[in-house]
Amino acid sequence: MSILNIVTHPSYFLRTKSSVVKKKYIPTGEFQKLVDDMLETMKHAQGAGLAAPQVGKSLRIIIATDKGKPFIFINPKLYRKSFKKVKAEEGCLSVPGVWGTVKRHAAVSLVALDREGSKVKLRATDMFAVVLQHEVDHLNGILFIDKAKKIGKPPQL
Ligand code: NI
């Protein structure tokens, strides 16, 4: 495994719509290594999530953590987005040193493939739902700073 370079704003990769991953590509060593490297990179950077464009790959792959546990989702789609919204303090490894308040759906359903290529479906709430929305935005070239109301430095700095 290796730690990949995280692309920072402004960058072409962060503003590009990522491509769907072909199912036959998932079992390849190259793809599996990319997933392992993304996991290692996110862990090293102490992120709550990571999307492939953040490591310079325009592919629809995200990692989202739920209570510290990382989950890999390939070609994720969100649906059944709750009417209820929550305000969350967000940051992003690609926009270092900046935090902002973003309104997100309080709950979302997700359908995706896992790293074995099997279909997964789940309902996410709270921080997990927020992370999923943030990471799926990355696949569409959207950054949290596009949506954030109050942008500033993290409170602890
Ligand atoms: Ni991000």
Side-chain angles (χ1 to χ4, degrees):
M1 282 197 268
S2 33
I3 290 163
L4 305 170
N5 192 39
I6 295 178
V7 166
T8 52
H9 171 70
S11 158
Y12 162 85
F13 290 103
L14 300 175
R15 293 309 192 179
T16 301
K17 198 168 153 77
S18 291
S19 305
V20 168
V21 177
K22 290 198 176 80
K23 219 178 163 181
K24 65 175 182 191
Y25 182 45
I26 296 173
T28 65
E30 187 184 53
F31 183 85
Q32 294 294 319
K33 185 183 185 308
L34 172 60
V35 168
D36 284 336
D37 288 349
M38 282 177 64
L39 281 164
E40 186 80 355
T41 303
M42 188 194 72
K43 206 172 136 188
H44 179 256
Q46 298 179 308
L50 189 73
Q54 292 184 273
V55 293
K57 301 277 179 193
S58 290
L59 290 170
R60 304 190 81 80
I61 312 161
I62 62 167
I63 308 171
T65 57
D66 184 22
K67 299 174 187 82
K69 191 171 184 276
F71 292 91
I72 294 137
F73 299 116
I74 300 156
N75 301 336
K77 281 188 183 136
L78 300 179
Y79 63 104
R80 273 182 65 211
K81 297 169 185 172
S82 67
F83 182 73
K84 191 187 163 196
K85 293 204 171 177
V86 287
K87 276 184 194 165
E89 281 292 301
E90 292 185 29
C92 179
L93 296 175
S94 293
V95 193
V98 176
W99 288 76
T101 309
V102 186
K103 255 189 178 179
R104 301 280 189 186
H105 299 282
V108 291
S109 291
L110 170 134
V111 60
L113 298 176
D114 64 17
R115 67 181 298 174
E116 273 86 49
S118 305
K119 191 172 171 180
V120 284
K121 273 181 159 186
L122 60 85
R123 183 82 177 155
T125 58
D126 306 313
M127 269 317 286
F128 192 35
V130 169
V131 175
L132 286 174
Q133 291 167 81
H134 177 117
E135 300 310 328
V136 170
D137 273 353
H138 274 302
L139 304 183
N140 296 319
I142 299 163
L143 295 174
F144 85 98
I145 47 173
D146 305 337
K147 297 181 168 180
K149 279 283 178 291
K150 280 188 286 175
I151 296 177
K153 299 267 179 220
Q156 62 266 35
L157 288 187

